Amino acid sequence: MTTTSTDVDVVLPCLDEAEALPWVLGRIPAGWRALVVDNGSTDGSPDIARALGATVVREPRRGFGAACHAGLTAATSDIVCFCDCDASLDPALLVPFVREIRDGAADLVLGRRRPEGRGAWPVHARAGNLALARMLRRRTGLRLHDVGPLRATRREPLLALGLTDRRSGYPLQMVVRAADAGWRIAEHDVPYRPRTGASKVTGTWRGTWQAVRDMSRVLAETPAGGGLVR
């Protein structure tokens, strides 16, 4: 894995993902930089990531959004991607997403998760995602099917959206504010594998619906004016 080039930065929020890190980092495309954002791991994840050539960013404030945003602010490339660090999604799948951004065909490209294998996507997590997709459609008019974590966009316009959520609502707020700003948003199917280790968000009904509540607050935001900042 090449880490000297910063052609593309891949933000990987990480909380106790020692088992998954070797596979995930081994799938980062050559010439891209992996930014592993440690969110308080106790299993040695930062040391493993560093030994495998990743750049480690520390974010002590707990929360998926806090980790994602810390990675975004640490990124220096024109194009930034996001991917879970639990081996449920293959970061190599981001290659055509980045190509679409570079070609100017879209401003934000999202992965629609398609489960593969038993236990890849528990029923409560699917139910929560379906509810959010419907609420998102009512709020923005976007006919998206997923608000999953695999995505690509340009760094500066994303920073200009002024994302404020630092919990589970961060991925959704990104989509909502991008839609309000007139971004072209594309969605493509991606395989979704059983994750390595226990989920911190959607592993239980309680965690899933807490995430839904976080995201419902995002959907209640008043639409902001203005177009795409390039």
Side-chain angles (χ1 to χ4, degrees):
M1 182 179 65
T2 302
T3 59
T4 55
S5 170
T6 55
D7 185 44
V8 174
D9 281 328
V10 184
V11 176
L12 299 158
C14 177
L15 177 58
D16 293 332
E17 302 291 3
E19 188 178 349
L21 276 167
W23 184 86
V24 172
L25 294 177
R27 299 293 298 168
I28 299 292
W32 295 15
R33 180 173 64 156
L35 292 173
V36 173
V37 185
D38 184 63
N39 204 206
S41 297
T42 59
D43 66 349
S45 288
D47 293 335
I48 293 171
R50 201 174 288 111
L52 291 169
T55 297
V56 175
V57 178
R58 292 190 179 275
E59 175 47 71
R61 179 169 48 164
R62 285 291 181 93
F64 183 77
C68 286
H69 204 71
L72 174 62
T73 55
T76 56
S77 300
D78 177 39
I79 295 177
V80 64
C81 300
F82 296 84
C83 182
D84 274 353
C85 203
D86 58 10
S88 62
L89 291 162
D90 184 348
L93 296 169
L94 289 162
V95 171
F97 288 24
V98 168
R99 187 180 306 120
E100 195 166 351
I101 297 294
R102 280 207 181 103
D103 291 346
D107 302 305
L108 175 63
V109 184
L110 309 171
R112 179 187 182 184
R113 292 168 289 184
R114 294 293 198 176
E116 292 186 351
R118 291 177 59 85
W121 205 355
V123 63
H124 52 269
R126 295 195 207 191
N129 190 71
L130 179 60
L132 287 168
R134 287 175 174 169
M135 289 188 286
L136 178 65
R137 188 172 302 177
R138 288 196 297 269
R139 167 65 172 76
T140 66
L142 293 172
R143 299 189 66 83
L144 299 176
H145 303 85
D146 194 5
V147 287
L150 196 71
R151 51 189 63 195
T153 187
R154 294 190 184 275
R155 178 177 176 271
E156 290 299 330
L158 180 55
L159 283 169
L161 292 180
L163 303 183
T164 56
D165 191 279
R166 296 295 182 264
R167 289 165 51 108
S168 302
Y170 188 88
L172 181 63
Q173 188 179 54
M174 186 187 302
V175 176
V176 169
R177 292 200 177 181
D180 288 348
W183 289 26
R184 296 160 300 163
I185 302 174
E187 180 183 64
H188 303 299
D189 289 357
V190 294
Y192 190 49
R193 307 165 63 245
R195 62 157 290 137
T196 299
S199 172
K200 286 79 176 178
V201 177
T202 59
T204 64
W205 279 100
R206 180 178 180 180
T208 295
W209 292 111
Q210 177 60 56
V212 170
R213 286 195 295 271
D214 286 348
M215 296 183 188
S216 296
R217 286 193 288 270
V218 170
L219 290 166
E221 288 184 355
T222 302
L228 174 67
V229 179
R230 294 189 183 276

